[in-house]
């Protein structure tokens, strides 16, 4: 009926990037399960999935009261040794029985919530994407936040991040397309207070590919948002050109090499990224910002050469 999730993205609280081996140790949170890792096109690791049992109200834009019982999947992911993500998601289906069953029933269906009572998928999607979390209502954001905080509080980190930045939150939902063979399409929105939303319509029920798409989108939205913030802070603040370039150094050291949209995604979800590249033009805006930084570095270098004494 409906799949929904939330991804939180932020900078790892460490003065330098972690090697892939150190990242794997940091994300090794469950005995007997391996951390998934890859080195190309960039260092990337994902912790084993964890499952959280829930028994709560389901989101609703209209205020409809319905109950959901089941489990939520969550994990942490690290990109380039710098960027940390906490991701949680679940699939909501109508319950076969109009009553709560024993927990063993729900534990046998990991990553699935059964809706008890009358529910409408679009009403639930609208409530999840646009409404604030209400008491006793399914809160995927708190689970994603907890996953990130668990990693950030690790004793293996020095908690001295190279620059200050804010976390972003991406809430996403997937509604079934009328035709099973239809390509995935999405509508992306930038909301207030670091919130982004994307409503997807997909014909194929490929949950893993959708989750990776949303995590990749959240990563690159955070990179772009953070880069734009650093540029504004660095270039509009007081100081000499050299001082302004010095404030841009964290962007050069930590961010510029991480931009690789859709590099690990399944082909079935690539149309969503292609839409985002047409409008609002993620890579176009990123490249314009990178060129601006490089122009400022070039001008600063020229000015230093002109000021240098002639031997």
């Amino acid at each position: 009926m409906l799949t929904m999730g939330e991804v939180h993205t932020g900078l790892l609280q460490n003065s330098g990037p972690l090697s892939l081996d150190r990242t794997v140790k940091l994300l090794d949170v469950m005995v007997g399960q391996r951390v998934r890792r890859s080195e190309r096109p960039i260092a990337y690791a994902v912790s084993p999935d964890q499952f959280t049992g829930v028994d709560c109200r389901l989101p609703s834009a209209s205020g409809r009261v319905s109950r959901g019982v089941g489990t939520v999947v969550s994990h942490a992911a690290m990109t380039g040794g710098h960027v940390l993500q906490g991701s949680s998601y679940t699939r909501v289906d109508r319950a076969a029985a109009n009553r709560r069953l024993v927990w063993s029933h729900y534990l046998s269906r990991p990553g699935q919530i059964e809706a008890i009572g009358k529910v409408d998928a679009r009403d639930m999607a609208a409530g999840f994407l646009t409404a604030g979390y209400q008491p006793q209502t399914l809160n995927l954001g708190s689970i994603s936040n907890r996953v990130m905080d668990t990693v950030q509080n690790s004793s293996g980190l020095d908690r001295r991040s190279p620059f200050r930045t804010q976390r972003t939150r991406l809430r996403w939902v997937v509604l079934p397309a009328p035709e099973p063979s239809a390509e995935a399409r999405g509508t992306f929105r930038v909301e207030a207070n670091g919130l982004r939303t994307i409503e997807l319509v997909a014909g194929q029920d490929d949950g893993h590919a959708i989750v990776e798409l949303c995590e990749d989108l959240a990563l690159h939205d955070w990179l772009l948002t953070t880069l734009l913030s650093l540029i504004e802070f660095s270039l509009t603040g007081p100081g000499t050109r050299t001082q302004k370039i010095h404030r841009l150094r964290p962007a050069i050291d930590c961010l510029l090499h991480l931009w690789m949209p859709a590099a690990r995604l399944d082909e079935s979800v690539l149309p969503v990224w292609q839409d985002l590249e047409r409008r609002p033009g993620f890579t176009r805006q990123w490249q314009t910002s990178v060129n601006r930084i490089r122009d400022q570095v070039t001008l600063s270098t020229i000015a230093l050469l002109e000021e240098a004494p002639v031997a």
Side-chain angles (χ1 to χ4, degrees), residues 29-256:
V29 295
M30 297 184 66
V31 177
Q33 297 194 39
R34 297 179 61 184
V35 175
R36 290 184 287 124
R37 56 181 286 174
S38 61
E39 298 182 21
R40 298 180 182 180
I42 197 165
Y44 177 76
V46 184
S47 71
D49 287 337
Q50 301 181 61
F51 299 93
T52 302
V54 295
D55 184 347
C56 56
R57 290 180 56 176
L58 294 173
S60 171
S62 65
R64 175 180 294 176
V65 178
S66 56
R67 183 182 183 183
V69 186
T71 59
V72 174
V73 186
S74 63
H75 57 241
M78 187 91 72
T79 302
H82 270 305
V83 185
L84 175 65
Q85 293 182 289
S87 176
S88 60
Y89 59 94
T90 189
R91 176 181 173 86
V92 181
D93 288 305
R94 291 183 177 86
N98 197 28
R99 59 184 176 83
R100 188 189 185 284
L101 303 177
V102 295
W103 265 115
S104 58
H105 169 80
Y106 303 107
L107 294 177
S108 67
R109 294 162 173 78
Q112 180 177 329
I113 290 177
E114 294 190 3
I116 302 172
K118 293 182 178 181
V119 290
D120 178 83
R122 291 202 169 273
D123 177 59
M124 192 189 311
F128 176 70
L129 291 178
T130 60
Y133 284 117
Q134 302 297 320
Q136 301 180 343
T137 301
L138 178 65
N139 190 337
L140 298 183
S142 66
I143 298 175
S144 298
N145 195 57
R146 184 180 67 210
V147 169
M148 282 192 73
D149 287 345
T150 299
V151 177
Q152 296 283 36
N153 292 330
S154 171
S155 60
L157 304 179
D158 60 26
R159 295 180 180 81
R160 297 197 305 270
S161 57
F163 58 93
R164 297 185 65 180
T165 184
Q166 299 294 319
R167 292 184 183 182
T168 57
R169 299 167 290 137
L170 173 70
R171 291 181 191 166
W172 57 270
V173 297
V174 184
L175 294 164
E179 298 294 333
S181 60
E183 292 184 335
R185 298 293 179 187
T187 302
F188 178 79
R189 297 182 180 90
V190 177
E191 313 287 354
N193 301 318
L195 175 65
R196 288 85 170 94
T197 63
I198 183 166
E199 181 176 335
L200 297 161
V201 176
Q204 297 180 347
D205 186 13
D206 192 345
H208 183 68
I210 292 292
V211 171
E212 289 191 334
L213 165 68
C214 294
E215 291 173 357
D216 194 59
L217 174 57
L219 169 67
H220 288 85
D221 170 75
W222 180 88
L223 288 171
L224 180 57
T225 301
T226 303
L227 183 65
L228 293 173
S229 178
L230 278 172
I231 290 175
E232 181 179 5
F233 167 75
S234 301
L235 300 184
T236 62
T240 65
R241 186 181 296 277
T242 300
Q243 290 171 331
K244 293 180 178 181
I245 295 303
H246 180 74
R247 291 197 292 263
L248 280 173
R249 182 171 179 176
I252 299 171
D253 291 343
C254 304
L255 302 180
L256 299 191

